[in-house]
Amino acid sequence: MNDSVFIHSQDQLQQLAHDLLRFAREKGASDAVVDISEGSGLSVAVRKGSIETIEQNKDKGIGITVYLGEGRNVRRGNASTSDFSQQAMRDTVEAAWNIARFTAIDDCAGLPDADQMESNPPDLKLCTPWQISAAEAVELAQRCEAAAFAVDKRITNSEGASIYAQQSHFVTANSRGFMAGYPFSRHSISVAPIAGKGGNMQRDDWYSSSRDPAKLAAPEAIGRYAAERALARLNARKLSTRRCPVLFEAPLAAGLLGAFVQAVSGGSLYRKSSFLLDSLHQQVLPSHVQIVEDPHVVGAVGSAPFDEEGVRTHRRQVVIDGVVQGYFLSTYSARKLGMETTGNAGGSHNLSMTSSLTKRGDHFSGMLKKMGTGLLVTELMGQGVNYVTGDYSRGASGYWVENGVIQYPVEEITIAGNMKEMLRQIVAIGNDTLVRGTKQVGSILLESMMVAGD
């Protein structure tokens, strides 16, 4: 990757990290952690063919955490600055040190053990800069939106189309010898068309995201698909209250996987704010469900050779045959639970949720046939999930399905259940796999949920 897209090179960021750690030692810190980053990006939005916004950013920042004390008698403080001058860095170390002096002792604070940190991080090729001009970005966004309008005259309006390009790099270092960093990028194209008029209006959206701009879907394809989704929602009806099977479309199925991750993450567990407390080695999903974490997929959005603390990441099976094999832990949350870090400070990496029952024919239409009669959910509203109890109640819209065939769109309904039971009631996972962020999963069919309507 050509460092010329950045003002500072990786070597220069490492030298700044060396200086900061030296300043912390001189101040009397027992340990210290430094994060230095720099990035640049472009964001463009158009609506109905006209430019709405053009934003360019160039950001840089330093964060330092200072630890005072040893063992179980540790205080910590952190401070940050966007000024890379030597005096500003000294002042930032001083600020962190002063904060640490007056914070309470935390017996779980501190750095990871030296043998847990990545000493030779692999190059996962996580940065492909998009050297696109504002004019070129505007033209791409206009093409995307124009393709949506061209699908049908019933596409009457738009919330706009946008192009986003971002490339950054960073260095993380600590006083126990760890120092590493790498460049990374994230780019996207999105659009949100509106179909219909007056009281019969519906919107939908679609996007493509990748670290490599060459792997983004064509803007015309994104526009057409978003328009088709919006058109399909016209003349939506309400449903009477009932209990029925529910099929979560792949983008929403990633949210179910995300709920599981949150419930078995260290912060939720040690605070006892999870519906899956003490679930290690317990059956929480059907025996046909597997979840794998693979942080080392070359070029993937969820890849990372080490976590935010410098702890090495590794491929692991999080769930085998429905049984939880491991949590998602940082050093701090692991100590709170009397366990070891899993290299998940900052979150999960490239999670894949699959079913051993999935067959070649379990694409989207195959999943509809498998459900037979029930509700296909394509949009969720609100934040009605209680992660302590697992209670789940969210506004929804989608389609009513009979005999495996979509009959009509539905709206203004609520789906309700309990996450613990919902996870156990996964009947099937489709091979209509979609990557959303760090998660990859197909559509998910649940045995039944309560659907509240008229």
Side-chain angles (χ1 to χ4, degrees):
M1 211 288 300
N2 189 347
D3 281 349
S4 65
V5 298
F6 304 118
I7 296 173
H8 299 81
S9 67
Q10 275 280 299
D11 288 343
Q12 288 172 319
L13 294 189
Q14 290 196 8
Q15 184 57 55
L16 292 172
H18 274 299
D19 293 343
L20 283 156
L21 291 174
R22 176 167 54 84
F23 298 157
R25 285 193 301 270
E26 291 171 356
K27 193 64 187 173
S30 51
D31 267 318
V33 178
V34 174
D35 293 293
I36 307 177
S37 63
E38 176 194 17
S40 63
L42 171 68
S43 177
V44 167
V46 304
R47 181 174 176 272
K48 300 183 78 172
S50 299
I51 298 171
E52 290 258 290
T53 58
I54 297 177
E55 298 179 357
Q56 292 181 303
N57 71 281
K58 285 190 178 293
D59 302 313
K60 62 178 184 176
I62 289 172
I64 182 160
T65 301
V66 166
Y67 295 90
L68 303 178
E70 301 287 348
R72 295 289 188 174
N73 187 32
V74 177
R75 303 175 190 270
R76 63 178 168 181
N78 58 69
S80 61
T81 182
S82 59
D83 188 341
F84 282 15
S85 69
Q86 293 285 299
Q87 187 57 52
M89 292 195 301
R90 285 186 180 276
D91 291 344
T92 304
V93 170
E94 174 92 19
W97 181 78
N98 279 320
I99 292 170
R101 289 170 56 211
F102 297 104
T103 56
I105 290 172
D106 190 334
D107 61 3
C108 291
L111 303 185
D113 295 335
D115 62 356
Q116 295 174 322
M117 291 182 275
E118 177 59 75
S119 58
N120 186 28
D123 179 7
L124 300 176
K125 304 188 185 311
L126 302 180
C127 189
T128 305
W130 195 359
Q131 305 284 42
I132 186 172
S133 68
E136 291 168 333
V138 166
E139 193 242 343
L140 275 182
Q142 289 172 332
R143 282 166 50 193
C144 183
E145 188 184 46
F149 276 112
V151 169
D152 192 292
K153 291 181 179 179
R154 291 174 295 168
I155 300 295
T156 56
N157 209 334
S158 168
E159 291 185 355
S162 63
I163 305 294
Y164 174 76
Q166 179 73 32
Q167 38 274 325
S168 306
H169 70 146
F170 75 97
V171 162
T172 295
N174 65 41
S175 52
R176 297 188 183 178
F178 175 81
M179 183 175 294
Y182 52 85
F184 60 95
S185 58
R186 183 78 177 267
H187 316 297
S188 66
I189 304 173
S190 64
V191 67
I194 297 171
K197 293 182 178 180
N200 184 30
M201 295 174 66
Q202 296 287 347
R203 70 168 294 284
D204 213 315
D205 60 79
W206 200 249
Y207 73 91
S208 176
S209 178
S210 176
R211 293 192 185 274
D212 184 350
K215 295 181 179 178
L216 293 171
E220 290 82 5
I222 296 168
R224 285 193 296 269
Y225 186 57
E228 289 166 0
R229 291 175 65 90
L231 289 165
R233 296 176 62 165
L234 288 173
N235 303 309
R237 311 180 195 176
K238 297 180 182 180
L239 286 176
S240 59
T241 297
R242 66 191 71 186
R243 178 172 286 277
C244 64
V246 173
L247 178 64
F248 285 79
E249 188 186 26
L252 304 186
L256 295 180
L257 177 54
F260 165 80
V261 172
Q262 180 164 335
V264 293
S265 290
S268 298
L269 295 169
Y270 80 73
R271 295 186 185 97
K272 299 191 182 301
S273 59
S274 167
F275 63 89
L276 290 180
L277 290 176
D278 303 316
S279 57
L280 190 62
H281 306 308
Q282 299 299 311
Q283 184 103 32
V284 302
L285 291 148
S287 59
H288 62 89
V289 175
Q290 323 293 324
I291 299 177
V292 172
E293 182 180 39
D294 188 355
H296 296 167
V297 179
V298 173
V301 171
S303 293
F306 50 85
D307 73 2
E308 290 185 354
E309 299 176 313
V311 173
R312 71 177 62 88
T313 55
H314 58 276
R315 188 182 189 277
R316 63 184 180 128
Q317 291 184 283
V318 178
V319 170
I320 299 176
D321 299 337
V323 177
V324 177
Q325 305 297 311
Y327 295 146
F328 295 87
L329 306 176
S330 65
T331 298
Y332 185 83
S333 62
R335 288 173 182 161
K336 281 285 193 181
L337 295 167
M339 305 175 78
E340 287 195 2
T341 174
T342 58
N344 289 109
S348 61
H349 311 283
N350 292 330
L351 285 180
S352 175
M353 185 177 187
T354 60
S355 167
S356 57
L357 301 179
T358 301
K359 299 181 174 65
R360 180 179 296 179
D362 288 339
H363 38 66
F364 181 65
S365 59
M367 291 293 286
L368 291 176
K369 291 177 182 177
K370 187 165 285 191
M371 177 171 66
T373 296
L375 176 67
L376 165 64
V377 177
T378 59
E379 184 179 20
L380 293 168
M381 286 80 77
Q383 304 295 324
V385 184
N386 185 324
Y387 286 98
V388 179
T389 64
D391 290 340
Y392 182 102
S393 178
R394 300 187 67 181
S397 60
Y399 301 87
W400 183 248
V401 179
E402 293 180 2
N403 299 316
V405 178
I406 291 176
Q407 300 298 307
Y408 50 85
V410 296
E411 63 181 0
E412 296 181 20
I413 57 175
T414 300
I415 57 173
N418 183 277
M419 282 301 310
K420 200 167 186 177
E421 292 302 315
M422 289 164 64
L423 292 176
R424 289 175 179 164
Q425 288 188 17
I426 294 176
V427 174
I429 300 175
N431 58 19
D432 51 337
T433 304
L434 189 69
V435 176
R436 281 293 184 254
T438 65
K439 299 169 183 66
Q440 177 176 305
V441 65
S443 53
I444 291 180
L445 175 60
L446 301 188
E447 184 178 336
S448 73
M449 291 185 72
M450 181 59 69
V451 178
D454 287 342

